[in-house]
Amino acid sequence: MGRFVRKERIIDMERLADITKVVELALLTGHLAERRKVSVLLISNAENGKSMLFEKFRRNSGIRWLNDVTAYGLLQSVFAKEVYKSLHHIMIGDLNVILSRSKETANSLMAILLPLTAEGVQEISTFNTKVRLPEPVQLGIIAAMTPTILQYRYRHWAGNGNLRRFLPLSYQYSNGATDDVHEAVEHETAHKEPYITLPPMLPTVKVVSGAHLNKQFRDLSREIVASLNLPVESMHG
């Protein structure tokens, strides 16, 4: 994959290399036919480099970058103009901004975004506009938020199954590393960081996996969950 360096300086993201790779792979699922695009929820404290990680992918086609948007704005900028036909993922650098709006405004937007990650949406309505698409549209969502906001929303989202729509990734720095990151943000002392250029959007590729490969994936996922000491009820599939 081609890589290039922008002129602006940003924080060295070496510590987030593994998470960056997961986000990259999730975005590449947009190239798979007859498969749901993978969505990722990145969870970490403020000023821990979440938005900067997302910035590395911003120049790629097939991705719509959102930071502060309403349901009406999403409808007009993505669906009414049929921009969705050229997209496979929406990236939201700071979900806190959206969820911190009034309850009605936040809920109306999430009522569109969340179905996008699963069965897709075909009919979209806001208080004064309604759009019906020719067929359901399914897009992946890569979003970032802080643990505080997640805890506030957790009971509601877990209860209606919304959290199962995302691959959750959580991380934190050691005290020393956190100080380094915050100092770099404050004083703009950082290494030049390359953007990540994904392959151009091509006709989607159909991938078929057999029973043996499916079993390997299932066994591996169970090993990962077991290594994390998660409650048994958190294992689905």
Side-chain angles (χ1 to χ4, degrees), residues 26 37 56 112 220:
K37 288 87 172 172
K56 298 175 71 171
I112 300 175
L220 179 59

Side-chain angles (χ1 to χ4, degrees), residues 106-145:
N107 287 346
S108 63
L109 177 60
M110 298 308 291
I112 300 175
L113 290 177
L114 292 173
L116 272 177
T117 65
E119 66 276 6
V121 297
Q122 186 168 12
E123 188 170 288
I124 305 170
S125 300
T126 64
F127 68 95
N128 62 355
T129 307
K130 185 174 182 178
V131 172
R132 182 171 179 81
L133 306 174
E135 58 185 12
V137 174
Q138 194 269 323
L139 300 174
I141 294 178
I142 312 291
M145 65 191 307

